[in-house]
Amino acid sequence: MHASWAPGQGGCWAAQQALGDSVPLSPDLATFQDEILESSFLSASILLTRVLRKEYGAQNYKFTQTPELIQCLLCILQKEPDFLATLCRQKIILIIVGLSNLRPSLKPLVKSRILQTCLQSVYLLPPIEELKSKAPLLEPAPDVMALYGKTVRALDLLLQNFFLENPSMDELSFLLQHTERWLKSDRSHERQRVVLSIFLLLQYVVDSLKFTEEATPSVLGHHIGLLTLLCRDKDKVTRSHSQQCVSLLLRLVVEQKGRALEFRPWNKAKHFEVKVSKEWETKLGHMVKAFRQDLTVAQHTQLVLTLLPGLHSHSHLRCDLASRLLLMIFQDAGIKPEQVAEILHSLLQALPGIRFKNVYKTMMKATAALGNQHTQEVVEVTLSLSHPFERKILFLWRTLATNQQLARKVMTILYMKLKLRPSREFIQPTRQARLVCLEALNTIYELLYTQEYRGTVRWAFAGVLMGLLTQLHYLLELGMVEGLSDYQEDILDDKPLGPCRTCLEALKGLFWTTNYWEVFAHVKLLHGWECLQCLETYPQGVTLLARAMSHYDCEVKAILGQAIIFLKNSEERDNLVAILIISEFLNSPDVFQHVNQRSMVNFMNLNLKNPNPLVRAMSLQALSSTLMHPKKMALLQSRLLELLDSFLQPEPNDPLGLMQILGDILHRLGDQGVGAVILKIAQHLRLFFEDVSAEVRGCAIFLFGDVIHSGGKKFRQALKTFAFQALVPLLFHLADSCPEVVMKTKLTFLRCAILLKWEFRKELFSKLAWGRGLGAENDVFIYMIESNFGNYHQFLMQALTYLHSPHRNLKLAAMRFIGGMLQDYFADLCFYLKKGDIETLKKSLKTLREDPDSMCRRFYLNFMGDVMELSHYVT
């Protein structure tokens, strides 16, 4: 049986039909008549509900217009004023309670509309004191407290009734979902009301019902999170009820699992204190433990995802509570690996919006704790998120470095990720950017320049180095060379780097940021970095790099250990990089302090069968090194003496060939096998600096740089003297007409500065490598002069000899140098020069007076006056 009665489109339609559309009404009369109509409509609705609910007809009767009738009631409820003078609100809610019990059951959409309207109508009422003052002046005066109590009770009955219709956790979650807006309200009285409603509902559920179904909706974790955030509310009642709500929800979860509820110390507490105390921290700890033990993984995830937005609250108490809970949850090992990805995504969204400094610090600790518990997962998720230099991503990496042990784990995982290199056939060109090894590479590149990782990078130097070298070879194999050859170091550009260029720049940055800049400089000034840009010259580049690392004692022990591990790997590129480094390190006499000689021989013998011919050849070369065969040292020393006799002749045959052989023998003998011969070689090389052949000049200058670093501690002081004496000639050869000579001079000049321990060595290199024009030349001049206080006059007297050089470039360089000394260091020269020095100076300048070169004549005219003035002060 079905009923077809309908109330129309609402109370307004009924009023219009009763009064007629054509009769104009005064405002007071219209209001009065509306109130009569609404009252009549409510009375009719009550009678209808009673009739329909009678037992004798309810079983077989369906009232299909319930949603329309409820809609009319909700319209009336929405028009209720923001004060209480009648029981209208209570009546409407109770009628809806009655109608909701009729068949057919209300659809979720209708129930949702009911909840939204009823909650809003009650919760939006002003605070009690304000309600009392707003009450209209009627006789008798309405009892506002009684009216409010009855209205709230009706709302509680509505919630309980909805739950009773479908007693399940899903239904409870559905009801709690509609309270979220009010739990987040900025108004204290609204939060107090909604928490009380939830408390009464949960008490009713716990006391009167037993669950039979096993559904455990994850959204319950969200509701627990919202209520937990109110456990430090400013209002005492709200704090107490919210804590009890959390306790009741956990009790429901536990009982549904068929377990007995354990005693929880925080269950019995009246409320959480507003101020932080040890007792308060203890209660939080018990709460976190309960969350971990009682909630499902999905519920626990939702709890955490709810606490994270709480960090953005305007309430400092709420933010502080959220951060402390998250810290404890992450420290408590309550997060499972499968939760990390979702939590980390939300964490990254939450961190930038934190307002309070102490909350920010707590969250840094919390993030570090999460990273410490799940380092592998955190690194993998963070790699997949976005480009590492995005602010929020970089913040996360920096946070993971607040703990040294964690930072080391992170860096180790990153350089191990470089090994995840699929072969060419498995790579789609459109997906190159998503390769894990490229994501790890980009991240390492950024972290090299992140202050928090400086110490960690130094600790992981060898692993990162080997990872980057093999990664570069891999990328060259794949042909990912976009932007590799046209890159300019000295130009700032925000254009993204290609994979190969990123890897090469990371390799350079590894040395620069760990203060092994001498290695970087050495390779740079020998064009070694360019050698690493293609497969054909790659071995030469690695050899140059290994030689520089050995020379400057750059992490030799750690790199050697990593190289041996790589030599055992099955990857051919790993073997290649390893053998190139090991074979070069075997020219250093200190290498067997770090590795057993017999083990090294065995490794080399095994690699004589390597499928790569270059690995076989380098293994054989390593086996034939002087260190492997000490008897060779005596033979090489004997050969060195023979060659030295030829080299020291006034006009040796083929000096270029002789110097190349001498350099090779010196390299193989190392510091300890050379002896005093090194001093004779260093002294004699100076004679070839001014050779007419650019090749001879360049070779002599380059070999001089090797020689002054090959004498060991015993001859270091004597070699420092030779280095000092070579400074002026080297400075002038920076203006040599041959570019190759200039580049070799830059390296040797820098090596002299390093040997002499100048203060501004690093700045000097920057000017030598990237400086241009007179400005850079002047800077190099200043670094040299200021690093040799008290020796200005010696430099000046050395420079005079170049005024007669057949090489115009050197002659002009000497004039600029002498002019600079006379202008900028006049007072110092007055103090150090002697009368004889002044006469020599005058004679040298007078020879320029008749020089056919106009620049020489101009120099004489410009500076002869300074020399004459200088003669008056020199005693």
Side-chain angles (χ1 to χ4, degrees), residues 741-872:
V741 174
V742 171
M743 189 56 70
K744 289 176 180 178
T745 303
K746 286 181 177 181
L747 176 60
T748 299
F749 188 78
L750 178 65
R751 297 181 80 176
C752 287
I754 292 171
L755 180 66
L756 296 171
K757 296 183 179 180
W758 290 3
E759 184 177 354
F760 302 104
R761 301 186 294 274
K762 197 171 184 180
E763 292 80 2
L764 171 66
F765 161 67
S766 295
K767 293 300 176 182
L768 292 172
W770 299 293
R772 300 287 184 274
L774 292 176
E777 184 180 312
N778 186 61
D779 288 337
V780 173
F781 165 77
I782 291 173
Y783 292 144
M784 172 179 158
I785 301 301
E786 294 297 332
S787 299
N788 291 276
F789 179 77
N791 297 309
Y792 308 150
H793 62 297
Q794 296 181 46
F795 291 152
L796 180 66
M797 301 313 292
Q798 264 187 297
L800 292 177
T801 60
Y802 282 85
L803 291 177
H804 313 294
S805 172
H807 302 287
R808 186 171 185 270
N809 287 22
L810 303 185
K811 192 173 184 178
L812 294 176
M815 288 191 291
R816 288 193 297 273
F817 180 84
I818 294 168
M821 292 293 294
L822 290 172
Q823 284 184 333
D824 300 335
Y825 296 93
F826 187 88
D828 297 282
L829 292 175
C830 291
F831 183 78
Y832 289 108
L833 288 175
K834 306 298 181 186
K835 282 290 185 183
D837 298 331
I838 293 295
E839 293 304 317
T840 305
L841 185 56
K842 286 179 181 179
K843 288 179 183 179
S844 298
L845 259 66
K846 283 179 181 178
T847 59
L848 301 177
R849 183 169 52 186
E850 307 298 332
D851 196 288
D853 192 326
S854 62
M855 292 189 71
C856 294
R857 296 195 300 273
R858 191 181 307 122
F859 175 78
Y860 168 78
L861 294 173
N862 289 340
F863 291 100
M864 192 60 189
D866 292 331
V867 174
M868 296 306 294
E869 185 180 354
L870 189 63
S871 65
H872 296 308

Side-chain angles (χ1 to χ4, degrees), residues 467-752:
L468 290 175
L469 282 171
T470 50
Q471 177 78 354
L472 182 57
H473 196 282
Y474 170 72
L475 295 173
L476 290 170
E477 291 171 23
L478 295 179
M480 295 186 182
V481 294
E482 181 185 354
L484 185 58
S485 57
D486 56 355
Y487 179 77
Q488 293 179 285
E489 288 178 329
D490 53 347
I491 296 178
L492 292 175
D493 189 2
D494 58 357
K495 183 181 177 182
L497 302 178
C500 267
R501 176 50 63 182
T502 300
C503 193
L504 186 57
E505 291 307 307
L507 199 55
K508 295 177 185 179
L510 177 63
F511 291 94
W512 190 262
T513 59
T514 52
N515 209 32
Y516 287 121
W517 64 271
E518 296 99 337
V519 177
F520 173 89
H522 193 103
V523 178
K524 166 71 179 174
L525 295 176
L526 287 177
H527 302 292
W529 298 120
E530 287 81 354
C531 292
L532 292 170
Q533 293 183 14
C534 65
L535 289 173
E536 292 73 19
T537 56
Y538 179 88
Q540 181 185 346
V542 176
T543 300
L544 280 173
L545 182 59
R547 185 171 298 186
M549 289 189 295
S550 175
H551 176 71
Y552 293 105
D553 194 23
C554 172
E555 303 287 341
V556 171
K557 180 180 179 180
I559 295 169
L560 191 61
Q562 284 288 321
I564 290 171
I565 294 171
F566 273 58
L567 201 57
K568 298 176 183 178
N569 291 349
S570 57
E571 286 287 345
E572 194 173 292
R573 74 179 71 87
D574 290 5
N575 302 158
L576 175 63
V577 171
I579 194 62
L580 288 170
I581 290 174
I582 290 172
S583 61
E584 189 57 45
F585 279 5
L586 283 173
N587 291 311
S588 169
D590 299 327
V591 71
F592 287 135
Q593 294 178 12
H594 311 309
V595 64
N596 181 271
Q597 183 173 352
R598 180 170 294 184
S599 299
M600 183 62 73
V601 171
N602 292 336
F603 291 141
M604 296 302 105
N605 282 324
L606 287 172
N607 278 278
L608 291 175
K609 299 177 182 179
N610 194 287
N612 186 299
L614 182 55
V615 173
R616 294 198 299 272
M618 295 304 296
S619 299
L620 189 60
Q621 180 179 315
L623 284 168
S624 63
S625 69
T626 308
L627 285 181
M628 292 288 199
H629 301 279
K631 292 181 181 180
K632 279 189 174 183
M633 185 170 289
L635 294 173
L636 286 173
Q637 287 171 336
S638 175
R639 181 61 178 155
L640 179 64
L641 292 173
E642 292 174 14
L643 290 171
L644 189 61
D645 289 338
S646 301
F647 183 62
L648 296 177
Q649 296 297 320
E651 292 185 6
N653 294 325
D654 189 19
L656 182 63
L658 278 172
M659 285 188 287
Q660 290 171 342
I661 297 172
L662 283 172
D664 187 59
I665 292 176
L666 290 174
H667 176 60
R668 293 178 184 278
L669 286 174
D671 295 351
Q672 299 176 6
V674 180
V677 209
I678 201 76
L679 301 178
K680 293 182 179 180
I681 297 173
Q683 186 176 17
H684 199 68
L685 281 172
R686 288 273 312 281
L687 301 175
F688 293 96
F689 282 14
E690 317 307 328
D691 198 272
V692 292
S693 168
E695 278 190 297
V696 173
R697 292 200 305 275
C699 187
I701 289 171
F702 180 74
L703 182 57
F704 183 81
D706 280 341
V707 166
I708 61 173
H709 281 275
S710 301
K713 292 181 180 179
K714 184 176 180 180
F715 301 102
R716 185 167 299 164
Q717 193 56 45
L719 290 171
K720 281 184 176 182
T721 303
F722 286 123
F724 173 79
Q725 293 169 351
L727 288 175
V728 171
L730 290 172
L731 180 69
F732 294 165
H733 277 286
L734 292 175
D736 199 281
S737 57
C738 175
E740 282 299 315
V741 174
V742 171
M743 189 56 70
K744 289 176 180 178
T745 303
K746 286 181 177 181
L747 176 60
T748 299
F749 188 78
L750 178 65
R751 297 181 80 176
C752 287

Side-chain angles (χ1 to χ4, degrees), residues 89-127:
R89 275 188 175 83
Q90 180 205 21
K91 287 181 180 180
I92 293 173
I93 295 173
L94 290 176
I95 292 170
I96 292 173
V97 171
L99 290 171
S100 67
N101 292 322
L102 299 178
R103 298 176 63 236
S105 299
L106 297 177
K107 293 182 179 178
L109 189 61
V110 177
K111 291 170 71 173
S112 184
R113 192 158 55 240
I114 292 169
L115 288 168
Q116 290 173 9
T117 307
C118 293
L119 292 176
Q120 178 171 316
S121 179
V122 177
Y123 294 157
L124 276 181
L125 287 172

Side-chain angles (χ1 to χ4, degrees), residues 321-346:
L321 175 61
S323 65
R324 289 176 182 275
L325 280 170
L326 288 167
L327 175 60
M328 288 183 174
I329 289 171
F330 293 163
Q331 288 177 333
D332 185 52
I335 302 297
K336 301 291 188 295
E338 58 268 32
Q339 296 176 263
V340 173
E342 197 172 357
I343 289 174
L344 205 56
H345 277 79
S346 296

